[in-house]
Amino acid sequence: MAENNVAKAGSPLDFSKKLLKDHTMLIILVVVMALFQVLQVVLKGSATMFTPSNITNIILQNSYVLILAAGMLLCILTGGNIDLSVGSVVCLVGAIGGKLIVDAKMPIVPAIIICLLVGLLIGAWHGAFIAYVHIPPFIVTLSGMLLWRGVALIVLDGLTISPFPQKYLNLFASYVPEVFMPDLLNASQAESLVGPATDQLKRIRLITTMIIAAVICVVMIAYSIKSRATKVKKGYEVTDKFSFILRLILIPVVVLLVCWQLGHHHGIPTVLVLIAAVVIFYSYYTQNTVPGRYLYAIGGNAKAAKLSGVNTDNVMMFAYTNMGFLSAVAALVCIARFNSAAPTAGQSYEMDAIGSCFIGGASAYGGTGTIGGAVIGAIFMGVLNNGMSILGIDMNWQQAVKGLVLLLAVIFDIVSKQRNKK
């Protein structure tokens, strides 16, 4: 009987079901991108979904969502809590950045530090009321949404601040090759290059990008092998060898393909390096550290976690303080992308971040979700926006489709939990 169970667990059908269950959103993302590609060919006569420029555009357009989703997931893990103030915080920090960098001509590094500190203080303000006064997060962050938007409008006096100095834009709105070789790869100079100079420019961009991609893949493979070996040595549960090898092959292939596309445009955007750092840090924090696991414990059962010795108040304080910090990071990225600090900045950003987390597999009740899933959810939202815009679908319909997708994601989560209980 035991032999039959082992054989069944290792069967191709069982593996296919497990693969589908573990990577549902990733598979759906690929299917949706392929669908948009086909629709563009049928309706427009040509397709741009997988072109280098469009891949770069998707990354740049959704950079703020990817950053905010990482912080929002930590709040959601604590029990389905959310932060409604992130859009207003982005607007306020952007406004302060504009006043310091553009109007006051302050050096860039001190201005960035001040902006990050403002985000931390705002996050700590929310966290203190939520964690120690025990006011519901919805009320505190709803108040923050109104408060910080009003302060931002006062700081800006209803006006837009622009343009930002090129040195600042190079930090968040340029490309990796241009950072290291600005004289040759400056975008404005590149437009005037012809013939051999243009070919040399393209070669340098592609070679630099692929070298970085290769290094990333080697580090990723080495870390995965070491991590698996450590878990096996300690007797922890690990995935089967076939799944592990398949993942070791597929992920580097995807990284190389994406970087190949980026290399044929301008190279790797500097903001993508920042996003990668955020994703790697918070993935490690949530999955491999004790304080990170506390977030899941509170979301699973807050009373049991508290009785087990977890300081739930401090964990909640950290989650919302961290959200304020990442909102400030997103603000620095946004003002560089738009080259301005505007009173309308940050509108609906909180909804994009929340939607990304739930679409990426986070539970509406907390205790379930990963940074990787939130990233896939953010990319999925970006692909939806990009694909529908290319097809010329009205903005009102785009909002309706995104709302429906979010509802379906939450329904799927709830139905799955009910089935597991039965």
Side-chain angles (χ1 to χ4, degrees):
M1 191 72 177
E3 292 179 359
N4 291 336
N5 288 337
V6 172
K8 185 178 179 182
S11 66
L13 180 61
D14 186 72
F15 172 74
S16 299
K17 288 181 178 179
K18 186 176 183 303
L19 187 67
L20 183 62
K21 181 181 178 181
D22 293 343
H23 303 89
T24 302
M25 275 311 304
L26 185 59
I27 294 170
I28 292 174
L29 174 62
V30 173
V31 170
V32 168
M33 292 185 73
L35 178 62
F36 276 126
Q37 181 84 350
V38 172
L39 289 175
Q40 288 171 23
V41 171
V42 173
L43 300 177
K44 298 290 184 178
S46 62
T48 60
M49 177 58 67
F50 293 101
T51 59
S53 59
N54 195 55
I55 296 294
T56 302
N57 193 39
I58 290 174
I59 293 171
L60 295 178
Q61 284 183 341
N62 297 280
S63 54
Y64 73 90
V65 185
L66 291 161
I67 295 169
L68 292 175
M72 191 66 72
L73 179 70
L74 270 59
C75 297
I76 292 173
L77 288 177
T78 60
N81 301 307
I82 56 176
D83 190 335
L84 295 174
S85 68
V86 295
S88 298
V89 176
V90 167
C91 183
L92 174 58
V93 173
I96 293 172
K99 284 290 184 180
L100 295 176
I101 297 172
V102 179
D103 291 353
K105 309 295 182 184
M106 179 180 286
I108 293 172
V109 174
I112 289 176
I113 293 173
I114 291 173
C115 288
L116 294 176
L117 287 175
V118 169
L120 271 173
L121 289 173
I122 291 174
W125 168 276
H126 294 158
F129 285 111
I130 293 168
Y132 304 123
V133 187
H134 301 293
I135 301 175
F138 182 87
I139 301 300
V140 173
T141 58
L142 177 61
S143 169
M145 181 177 71
L146 302 174
L147 171 62
W148 307 125
R149 177 70 63 176
V151 174
L153 294 176
I154 293 170
V155 172
L156 291 171
D157 196 22
L159 303 174
T160 298
I161 299 175
S162 66
F164 280 75
Q166 189 60 43
K167 287 184 178 180
Y168 178 79
L169 299 180
N170 287 341
L171 292 175
F172 301 103
S174 63
Y175 300 86
V176 171
E178 295 173 11
V179 172
F180 293 107
M181 292 169 283
D183 293 335
L184 179 62
L185 299 179
N186 184 273
S188 61
Q189 294 177 359
E191 294 178 358
S192 62
L193 298 177
V194 293
T198 303
D199 295 337
Q200 182 186 13
L201 173 68
K202 292 179 179 178
R203 281 197 301 271
I204 292 175
R205 281 175 175 160
L206 183 58
I207 291 171
T208 305
T209 303
M210 294 312 295
I211 289 174
I212 294 173
V215 171
I216 292 171
C217 291
V218 169
V219 172
M220 193 183 303
I221 292 171
Y223 176 78
S224 298
I225 294 173
K226 182 181 178 182
S227 177
R228 178 182 171 84
T230 303
K231 289 180 180 178
V232 171
K233 186 177 180 180
K234 293 182 178 180
Y236 296 159
E237 183 180 355
V238 295
T239 57
D240 60 276
K241 287 185 178 180
F242 182 78
S243 301
F244 177 70
I245 294 172
L246 184 64
R247 186 173 298 179
L248 278 187
I249 295 172
L250 288 179
I251 294 178
V253 167
V254 171
V255 171
L256 290 171
L257 287 175
V258 171
C259 288
W260 177 264
Q261 292 288 75
L262 295 176
H264 281 84
H265 190 236
H266 284 288
I268 298 176
T270 51
V271 72
L272 184 58
V273 178
L274 174 62
I275 292 170
V278 169
V279 170
I280 292 170
F281 174 81
Y282 285 96
S283 294
Y284 182 84
Y285 179 82
T286 54
Q287 299 296 322
N288 298 94
T289 68
V290 174
R293 302 309 297 178
Y294 287 165
L295 295 164
Y296 290 92
I298 292 174
N301 191 323
K303 290 183 178 179
K306 192 169 186 177
L307 291 172
S308 300
V310 177
N311 192 324
T312 56
D313 291 346
N314 286 350
V315 174
M316 292 294 290
M317 179 70 179
F318 168 78
Y320 281 90
T321 302
N322 175 74
M323 187 70 257
F325 172 76
L326 287 181
S327 297
V329 175
L332 295 173
V333 170
C334 287
I335 58 178
R337 170 160 173 74
F338 299 116
N339 197 14
S340 65
T344 57
Q347 290 184 344
S348 299
Y349 282 14
E350 58 278 350
M351 299 306 167
D352 291 335
I354 294 167
S356 298
C357 292
F358 287 139
I359 291 172
S363 172
Y365 301 108
T368 303
T370 62
I371 296 295
V375 168
I376 293 174
I379 296 173
F380 183 83
M381 295 278 282
V383 168
L384 275 182
N385 288 331
N386 182 267
M388 290 189 290
S389 297
I390 293 174
L391 292 174
I393 297 175
D394 184 76
M395 187 62 68
N396 297 324
W397 280 103
Q398 291 188 31
Q399 293 292 333
V401 169
K402 288 194 292 184
L404 182 61
V405 168
L406 176 58
L407 178 62
L408 291 174
V410 176
I411 291 173
F412 178 79
D413 170 61
I414 293 173
V415 171
S416 298
K417 284 185 177 298
Q418 290 175 346
R419 284 183 178 179
N420 291 334
K421 287 181 180 179
K422 290 180 182 180

